[in-house]
Amino acid sequence: MDSDEMTTHSPLAALPPALISLTTVLSLLFFLAVVLLAILLSKYLLPRPHSRQTLLLHTWHLFDFLIHTLFEGSYLYHSLFSHTTLPPTSPDYPHPASLPTSPKAAFLSHPDRAYGAAHSTHPTALLWQEYSRADARWANTDTTIISIELLTVFIAGPLALYICYLLQQPSKSGEGNAANQKWFWMTVLATGEIYGGFMTFAPELMTGNSHLDTGNWMYLWLYLVIFNGLWVVVPGWVLWIAHGEMRDAFQVSDEQKKEKKED
């Protein structure tokens, strides 16, 4: 049997690309490094003494800020600036039969360009190319995802950092105290996080998960369920805690108003 026949019929030739590559390992290590950084910085920045709940809230919001800024900020950059030039059109390319019946809108008004992380070799682009193995929308220009990420990077990220600042302030009575605003802003951010998750995956659920790889256990459970589920479970917990704190605050306020009326 010659070498060509051995190569053609080898079982290894039919195997898919490596499930765990160097990019996979480095991406996960980067994620874990952000988690560790958020924990260490929270312990350093929070004034003592502080409760375990305050430490958890500060760690989550600092982690949230870092992920939105470093990870999702890089996705937004590649979506808006990383591109490749498409071949010039001619009577034969693309073939008229492949063209849509109505003119296709060009992203950023550049019909001659294809944007997204798929068109870059930068390390952060490789990270999104890795994640796009689970959700193909993140490698190119999905306008729904990009619209959500614009709000996430430029509003949710800074708001998470502002909440960290509020958590570092001493809680004192008085309407002007900054710490008294934290529960409101935590509620705003947590609601936005859950809404963003819904808008990210609802279109896929309605179209049969056309861009998702749900047949691979790692892509489904680690990339899609666990990584994205964090931004549903933890904001849900934050809303629960905030609801209790604001309920108690309103009860105290109502009692004080009653006492003043009785006087």
Side-chain angles (χ1 to χ4, degrees), residues 173-211:
S173 59
E175 296 180 357
N177 183 39
N180 295 336
Q181 307 173 30
K182 61 190 177 192
W183 298 112
F184 170 78
W185 290 116
M186 277 192 242
T187 300
V188 171
L189 180 59
T191 303
E193 302 276 18
I194 295 174
Y195 179 77
F198 176 82
M199 292 303 298
T200 298
F201 288 101
E204 284 300 297
L205 294 175
M206 290 186 285
T207 56
N209 297 327
S210 57
H211 294 92

Side-chain angles (χ1 to χ4, degrees), residues 45 65 95 113 125 152 154 205 207-208 220 224 235 249 251 258:
L45 294 172
F65 163 73
H95 192 279
R113 295 179 181 179
T152 300
F154 293 110
L205 294 175
T207 56
L220 173 61
L224 297 176
Q251 287 177 349
K258 290 179 181 178

Side-chain angles (χ1 to χ4, degrees), residues 43-55:
K43 289 184 177 181
Y44 175 76
L45 294 172
L46 280 173
R48 297 181 182 275
H50 55 259
S51 66
R52 179 177 296 181
Q53 177 179 289
T54 300
L55 177 61

Side-chain angles (χ1 to χ4, degrees), residues 89-102:
T89 58
S90 67
D92 298 324
Y93 179 84
H95 192 279
S98 68
L99 296 175
T101 55
S102 59

Side-chain angles (χ1 to χ4, degrees), residues 90-163:
S90 67
D92 298 324
Y93 179 84
H95 192 279
S98 68
L99 296 175
T101 55
S102 59
K104 183 179 178 181
F107 184 68
L108 300 182
S109 300
H110 285 291
D112 59 331
R113 295 179 181 179
Y115 284 87
H119 308 291
S120 173
T121 57
H122 191 273
T124 55
L126 298 180
L127 182 151
W128 287 109
Q129 291 172 24
E130 171 67 24
Y131 182 76
S132 71
R133 296 166 74 177
D135 188 341
R137 296 174 297 173
W138 295 81
N140 296 291
T141 52
D142 184 288
T143 52
T144 298
I145 298 294
I146 293 173
S147 298
I148 293 171
E149 289 304 320
L150 284 169
L151 295 175
T152 300
V153 173
F154 293 110
I155 296 180
L159 181 55
L161 187 61
Y162 178 63
I163 290 170

